[in-house]
Every structure is written in C-alpha cells, then in structure tokens.
Amino acid sequence: MVEDKVVQDVNGTEGTGIWSQLEAVRLHVPAPSLTTAHFIRLASAFRADRKHIQEAFGGQPPVQEWSEAKRDRKAVVESLRRAVYAVFLASFIEGLNIIDQADRKNCWSINYADVVQIWHDGCIIKADYITDMLAEHFQTPSIDRDLLHNAHVAQGLKDAFPALKEVVAKGVDYNAIIPSLSATLEFLKYSTSTVLPTQFYEAQLDYFGKHMFDLKSEPIGKPETGKHHFEWRPA
C-alpha cells in the first residue's frame, strides 16, 4: 500500500503549491481551497512526526463509516460528486483570481481563454466541463474576470452547496479528513456574506491602535482605512 507521505514540497522538486500560496497572500487573494490542500500536503511529508503526535494523543479520532452509503449508495455518491465539483470549481476561481491580481499589478495583459485552454488539456490538470464553461466566459476580453460575479458560475456553486454542506457535516461527524471540502464550504459562506465576525476584529484594532473603522450605515467602500475612531472603554 502506498504510504501517505508527499515530500515534493520539502525536497524542492515541486514548487507550484508554494508559489500559489505565496502569491495569494502577497496579493491579498482569499484562496482557502488551494491553501488548505497545500497544508495537508506539507503535513503529509512529515509522517514520522505525525506518528509521534499520534502517540502523544493516545491515538487518532476514529474514522467511522458513512452508514447511509449502505442504504442508498447512489445518493451518497451523487452528494460526493456535487461536493467535489464545488471544490474543483472554487479552486479554479481562486487560482484565476490570483493570476488576475498579478496581471493587474504587472500589466501582463493575459489571455484568460488561453489559460483555461491549457488547463483543459494540461499534463496534470484536465477538467473539460469546467474549462469549457470558463472558456465561454472569457471569450469577451473586457468581461469581469472574478468568476464569483458570474451568474452562471454562481448558480453552479449554489446548486452544489447543499451537497457540500452535507458531506462536510458527515465528515465532521465521522472524523474524516476533509480539509479542502470544509475550507471551500467556509469560502462560499463568507464570500456571499456582508456580515462577517471580522467586524469584531476591526473594533479590536481600533481599540488597540486607533486603526479606524467604517460604519455599516455608510456606502460600501474600497479596502481602505476607515474614517471613524471611538474611545473604547470597559463596559
């Protein structure tokens, strides 16, 4: 049986994951599906260390069987298919958003239809259905390149959301290791929300260092320093 130990990031023979994460952070692009997948790959390399941690914990959380799979295998497989589709599509969106921000910063004038075509028939990435859909989107050069703004793409993710949520919930219940599935679920939740718990961060930052904040009653602005400060006192 193949050992669960991917070492290419550590020994320097694979750089794509590292470059993607570095660029995502540097360019301020949320890319949790990609980042989390890379983190588990890094953890994978250090199998001996994981063995020591397992011993320190006295074992690992027991992975249980998805009992519904025995009763309705077809429905479970369909839920898994939809959930995995959501992760794949989110990963493409995150990757393209990273490229887009780098393109804007460096004035590269990238042809995104060509990029998608490479992913259609690449040596590693082969995703004909998704890439055909994205290629159609990028036929218009001046179009909004953030695919989360595209109604057709958004509908695909919306349709897959219940299955993704179901699979993640079952994974948590059964102690399955599902980092990118769960990260994608959270990505979709916070990307579609205008009420995030980060408003508490913003208040804390203003309290600790007078970093200023905006108000919800004001028009939504760009990611710039707010206009307000409050002299916070104990309740």
Side-chain angles (χ1 to χ4, degrees), residues 29-30 85-101 104 112-113 115-117 119 129-158 187-188 191-192:
V29 177
Y85 171 75
V87 177
F88 271 53
L89 183 53
S91 297
F92 273 84
I93 292 168
E94 292 167 14
L96 285 165
N97 283 345
I98 294 170
I99 294 170
D100 178 41
Q101 287 303 312
R104 294 173 189 273
Y112 289 84
V115 172
V116 171
Q117 185 59 41
W119 287 344
Y129 176 78
I130 290 178
T131 52
D132 286 346
M133 177 178 64
L134 301 187
E136 183 178 347
H137 174 77
F138 287 119
Q139 289 304 313
T140 305
S142 60
I143 200 165
D144 185 344
R145 294 197 288 263
D146 189 334
L147 290 160
L148 289 177
H149 299 167
N150 178 280
H152 181 58
V153 174
Q155 188 62 51
L157 290 168
K158 184 178 177 180
F187 174 62
L188 295 179
S191 293
T192 57

Side-chain angles (χ1 to χ4, degrees), residues 29-201:
V29 177
S33 308
L34 299 178
T35 301
T36 310
H38 190 237
F39 284 161
I40 192 173
R41 214 166 76 170
L42 294 177
S44 171
F46 299 96
R47 193 176 191 279
D49 187 48
R50 286 187 283 122
K51 179 66 174 175
H52 290 318
I53 295 171
Q54 185 184 71
E55 292 168 355
F57 274 70
Q60 69 183 71
V63 179
Q64 303 171 38
E65 186 176 353
W66 189 339
S67 56
E68 287 87 343
K70 291 183 178 180
R71 296 195 298 270
D72 195 348
R73 180 181 177 84
K74 185 176 180 180
V76 169
V77 170
E78 178 60 15
S79 292
L80 289 169
R81 185 191 69 79
R82 287 176 173 269
V84 171
Y85 171 75
V87 177
F88 271 53
L89 183 53
S91 297
F92 273 84
I93 292 168
E94 292 167 14
L96 285 165
N97 283 345
I98 294 170
I99 294 170
D100 178 41
Q101 287 303 312
D103 185 13
R104 294 173 189 273
K105 187 177 181 66
N106 296 285
C107 302
W108 288 334
S109 300
I110 289 174
N111 185 318
Y112 289 84
D114 287 348
V115 172
V116 171
Q117 185 59 41
I118 292 171
W119 287 344
H120 185 285
D121 297 315
C123 62
I124 297 175
I125 300 175
K126 292 182 184 294
D128 50 1
Y129 176 78
I130 290 178
T131 52
D132 286 346
M133 177 178 64
L134 301 187
E136 183 178 347
H137 174 77
F138 287 119
Q139 289 304 313
T140 305
S142 60
I143 200 165
D144 185 344
R145 294 197 288 263
D146 189 334
L147 290 160
L148 289 177
H149 299 167
N150 178 280
H152 181 58
V153 174
Q155 188 62 51
L157 290 168
K158 184 178 177 180
D159 291 344
F161 186 86
L164 177 61
K165 184 178 179 181
E166 177 193 11
V167 170
V168 171
K170 293 294 184 183
V172 172
D173 281 346
Y174 300 151
N175 293 320
I177 298 171
I178 50 169
S180 286
L181 286 163
S182 55
T184 300
L185 178 65
E186 293 301 317
F187 174 62
L188 295 179
K189 285 162 60 181
Y190 62 66
S191 293
T192 57
S193 176
T194 54
V195 182
L196 299 180
T198 48
Q199 64 184 145
F200 183 62
Y201 298 176

Side-chain angles (χ1 to χ4, degrees), residues 27-28 101 202 211 214 219-227:
L27 296 167
H28 317 297
Q101 287 303 312
E202 186 79 332
H211 287 281
D214 286 323
I220 298 176
K222 296 180 179 180
E224 299 171 342
T225 302
K227 300 177 287 296

